[in-house]
Amino acid sequence: MKKLFKNVTNSIKTTAANIKSSVVAFNRRAVCGNAGEGYIDTAVKVLIAVVLGALVLAGLYAILNDTVMPTVTEKINEMFNYAG
């Protein structure tokens, strides 16, 4: 009976140590996180963001310059027209 309790106790200690080491290893991998993301991936993401931003700004400039600004200029000229 004594031998059985020793075996069970040793099994529990071994299992607890294995669980602890696996948790520590998992946390170390999660914190280090050096796999998957490299310099080239980040550079490509930045380039895509810059190009999309430039396209959006060019579209807004084209819309505002051709459509909105001439109308605003006409309204301001009509507002300050002292002839009538």
Side-chain angles (χ1 to χ4, degrees):
M1 194 64 148
K2 215 177 199 185
K3 197 173 190 181
L4 176 68
F5 283 128
K6 275 188 179 181
N7 286 340
V8 169
T9 305
N10 286 339
S11 295
I12 291 173
K13 286 180 184 178
T14 305
T15 305
N18 288 341
I19 290 173
K20 182 180 176 186
S21 66
S22 66
V23 168
V24 168
F26 176 77
N27 288 339
R28 184 174 294 134
R29 278 181 281 155
V31 170
C32 291
N34 57 359
E37 181 96 13
Y39 295 112
I40 295 175
D41 297 338
T42 306
V44 169
K45 289 177 191 174
V46 168
L47 285 173
I48 289 171
V50 168
V51 169
L52 288 177
L55 288 173
V56 168
L57 286 176
L60 285 173
Y61 180 76
I63 289 171
L64 290 176
N65 201 20
D66 293 338
T67 307
V68 176
M69 291 308 284
T71 307
V72 171
T73 306
E74 289 174 11
K75 297 287 183 183
I76 291 173
N77 287 336
E78 288 174 6
M79 199 168 30
F80 290 107
N81 188 4
Y82 296 117

